[in-house]
Amino acid sequence: MLREDVACVAARDPAANGTLEVLMTYPGVHAIIWHRLANRLWRARLRFAARFLSWFARAVTHVDIHPAATIGRRFFIDHGAGVVIGETAEIGDDVTLYHGVTLGGTSWAPGKRHPTLEDGVLVGCGAKILGPITVGKGARIGANSVVVDAVPPMMTVVGIPGRIVRAPAERRRVSGRIDLDHHLMPDPVGEAICELLDRIDFLEARLAHRDGRAPHCPDFIPEEAVHEPA
Ligand SMILES: CC(C)(COP(=O)(O)OP(=O)(O)OC[C@H]1O[C@@H](n2cnc3c(N)ncnc32)[C@H](O)[C@@H]1OP(=O)(O)O)[C@@H](O)C(=O)NCCC(=O)NCCS
């Protein structure tokens, strides 16, 4: 596992120059090595030793991983600093975190209170994922996002609170002329423009209807458009 943890860095960081450099100078790699050992101690019920090792790793790397956290294979924390991973966090294989990521809890009640990240998730720098939610396979969390709801697989989420920015085709909102709904972020200006375009289409169609001539944009104005939009 440790060999895989080191080897996966080359594929995910173009700045990496060989195994020795990664092994000696990457705090994120040091953090996962210490965590693998601390987790062993934790599972062997050597709780104080595990906590002490985690504390030491944190002092050296600025990455705070609770020894009970479950972390899969080929895990990579780029830059290391400021990462916090809580006790009941579960992380799948091939997950990448950047600096400043928190996988945190939202309750003081014992039990599962930290997120689950499925295989292949990428979490951008400064993002916070809070609560016992699941981030689905291959999902990507934007830098500085705050995610408090489950994320379906393969989605990209950005913002505070985190919103999915890739709209499935059936949810796209298209004005008479222009597709303004290229993502699911709240966009009041886009909505206002969409309504204005619909209104212009309606007025043009009504004028054309009154004058008995072809509408200006026949491709986009169906017969029903001569009725006022809601
Ligand atoms: C979220 C992320 C993975 C999306 O990448 P992508 O799939 O290429 O998506 P795009 O860049 O096309 O962005 C999609 C939309 O989300 C917006 N967006 C992207 N990242 C965002 C972020 N962190 N916060 C807010 N909005 C963001 C873009 O402006 C774009 O909006 P638009 O459609 O209105 O133009 C990427 O932006 C990101 O944050 N990666 C983390 C990288 C990182 O932490 N690097 C640290 C290196 S040290």
Side-chain angles (χ1 to χ4, degrees):
M1 274 178 112
L2 293 179
R3 235 181 250 133
E4 284 181 346
D5 288 331
V6 175
C8 76
V9 175
R12 292 184 229 169
D13 182 6
N17 278 316
T19 309
L20 184 66
E21 185 194 279
V22 168
L23 199 54
M24 299 301 289
T25 65
Y26 275 60
V29 171
H30 301 158
I32 186 61
I33 292 173
W34 290 118
H35 173 73
R36 301 261 187 238
L37 297 172
N39 184 249
R40 273 275 173 105
L41 293 172
W42 185 267
R43 284 187 283 123
R45 303 207 156 269
L46 298 168
R47 300 279 158 98
F48 178 76
R51 287 304 292 246
F52 189 79
L53 200 53
S54 289
W55 167 81
F56 174 75
R58 188 199 169 285
V60 176
T61 65
H62 292 184
V63 173
D64 186 348
I65 310 179
H66 193 284
T70 307
I71 300 183
R73 308 180 84 98
R74 298 173 295 278
F75 178 65
F76 178 39
I77 304 172
D78 203 357
H79 305 291
V83 170
V84 176
I85 300 177
E87 180 186 5
T88 61
E90 295 166 81
I91 298 176
D93 297 335
D94 301 298
V95 168
T96 307
L97 311 184
Y98 286 96
H99 52 285
V101 167
T102 299
L103 306 182
T106 50
S107 130
W108 290 339
K112 173 76 174 163
R113 59 193 186 283
H114 300 101
T116 297
L117 272 46
E118 292 183 347
D119 298 348
V121 167
L122 178 143
V123 187
C125 55
K128 318 292 175 226
I129 306 179
L130 305 175
I133 58 174
T134 297
V135 178
K137 269 188 181 185
R140 299 191 304 162
I141 309 300
N144 286 330
S145 305
V146 177
V147 180
V148 289
D149 293 316
V151 177
M154 306 310 293
M155 292 292 177
T156 299
V157 168
V158 302
I160 304 174
R163 298 256 187 255
I164 294 169
V165 283
R166 295 285 177 217
E170 66 275 14
R171 296 183 65 181
R172 291 170 88 89
R173 176 174 49 83
V174 183
S175 153
R177 299 149 191 251
I178 304 169
D179 174 4
L180 286 164
D181 205 13
H182 53 294
H183 58 63
L184 290 178
M185 291 288 280
D187 183 7
V189 176
E191 265 169 39
I193 292 172
C194 218
E195 274 169 28
L196 286 173
L197 288 173
D198 285 346
R199 186 76 194 168
I200 291 169
D201 283 347
F202 161 72
L203 292 172
E204 279 183 350
R206 204 161 75 168
L207 276 176
H209 186 72
R210 196 194 61 186
D211 301 346
R213 59 182 166 82
H216 180 60
C217 300
D219 288 350
F220 291 116
I221 304 175
E223 196 57 32
E224 319 77 83
V226 294
H227 303 297
E228 191 159 4

